[in-house]
Amino acid sequence: MPVTDGTDRPYVLLSCAMSVDGYIDDATPERLLLSNAADFDRVDGERAASDAIVVGANTIRRENPRLLVRSPARRRDRVAAGQPASPAKVTLTVSGDLDPAANFFADDTLTLVYCPSGVAAALRERLGDRATVVGVGASLELEAVLDDLAGRGIQRVMVEGGQSVLTTFLTSGLVDELQLAVAPFFVGDRDAPRFVGSGSFFWTPTNTMRLAGVAAIGDVALLRYRMTDRVPPR
């Protein structure tokens, strides 16, 4: 069962936007925008309140994100509080197939790459000083990743995708809160990625999440679910 108390692992917030029919993108090369300006600003606020942002390696390859806090005021507030201007950037990769020229590695924000120990040496050589590479055993064990983050002082983690990472966190029972923005349209493309893939989830018809809030952000619906009774830091 998911851990509900007595743990010092980071608080994990999973944030995702999807279409009404459950897709997080379409099958075209361009990124599909599933939210509006007000909701993007809300997500930026959640980033600013976090110590680390997690995305999968495929998201880096497909979307080439920078993963920075966008608001100058929020960046100033973080610096004034003795924090870096943006949270640490974290990615998970099994293959080690990452391009050191990607935007993810293009600034001096603390950047962490977790991978199987068997590919760590080659990945360190490829990325050089652009990131800290951490091998976490024969496979990517999320508990080991979160333990390492906790050891670096990370208390609040925001997981942003993509499908594989979202599914892995949810099937591992290591999510404390889910923020799900629902766009007011359909995608309807079976080749497009969905919110989650197949898996054995902790939250089922007999073990449900707790709905903590519903909000209308323009025509976007924001659903907030609590998975554990842990209180978020700050």
Side-chain angles (χ1 to χ4, degrees):
M1 295 295 293
V3 178
T4 57
D5 54 24
T7 178
D8 59 358
R9 70 164 174 82
Y11 184 89
V12 177
L13 163 66
L14 193 152
S15 175
C16 185
M18 70 177 191
S19 64
V20 169
D21 52 343
Y23 291 93
I24 58 174
D25 204 346
D26 58 22
T28 68
E30 294 76 26
R31 178 190 175 199
L32 176 66
L33 297 181
L34 287 154
S35 195
N36 55 33
D39 189 56
F40 284 133
D41 184 66
R42 176 194 65 81
V43 172
D44 192 60
E46 295 290 354
R47 282 185 177 183
S50 300
D51 299 313
I53 303 169
V54 179
V55 296
N58 192 53
T59 296
I60 295 174
R61 290 188 289 266
R62 179 177 173 84
E63 300 181 11
N64 199 23
R66 296 185 63 85
L67 295 186
L68 303 175
V69 173
R70 297 180 180 181
S71 163
R74 291 183 181 120
R75 292 199 298 269
R76 288 194 298 269
D77 288 346
R78 284 180 57 90
V79 171
Q83 300 173 303
S86 289
K89 296 185 286 187
V90 178
T91 192
L92 313 176
T93 177
V94 173
S95 67
D97 181 17
L98 289 167
D99 182 357
N103 287 336
F104 185 81
F105 304 107
D107 56 79
D108 59 0
T109 304
L110 175 62
T111 303
L112 301 166
V113 178
Y114 292 93
C115 64
S117 298
V119 302
L123 192 52
R124 289 189 188 103
E125 183 176 354
R126 179 182 304 163
L127 296 179
D129 61 1
R130 294 176 178 85
T132 297
V133 176
V134 183
V136 283
S139 62
L140 271 171
E141 294 293 335
L142 289 186
E143 292 89 346
V145 172
L146 292 175
D147 284 347
D148 186 81
L149 290 172
R152 298 174 188 274
I154 303 295
Q155 299 180 43
R156 188 176 190 271
V157 172
M158 183 175 181
V159 182
E160 294 195 11
Q163 183 199 70
S164 176
V165 169
L166 299 175
T167 303
T168 301
F169 266 91
L170 287 167
T171 55
S172 297
L174 294 171
V175 178
D176 298 295
E177 180 180 349
L178 168 63
Q179 295 184 6
L180 189 61
V182 182
F185 56 80
F186 297 84
V187 171
D189 185 344
R190 65 182 180 182
D191 293 326
R194 301 186 75 96
F195 167 35
V196 293
S198 299
S200 178
F201 295 89
F202 285 95
W203 300 279
T204 66
T206 57
N207 182 40
T208 62
M209 303 178 293
R210 178 168 60 87
L211 183 63
V214 179
I217 307 176
D219 288 332
V220 171
L222 174 64
L223 309 177
R224 295 176 183 262
Y225 292 97
R226 295 299 305 273
M227 276 78 160
T228 70
D229 57 7
R230 300 183 73 210
V231 177
R234 293 192 294 276

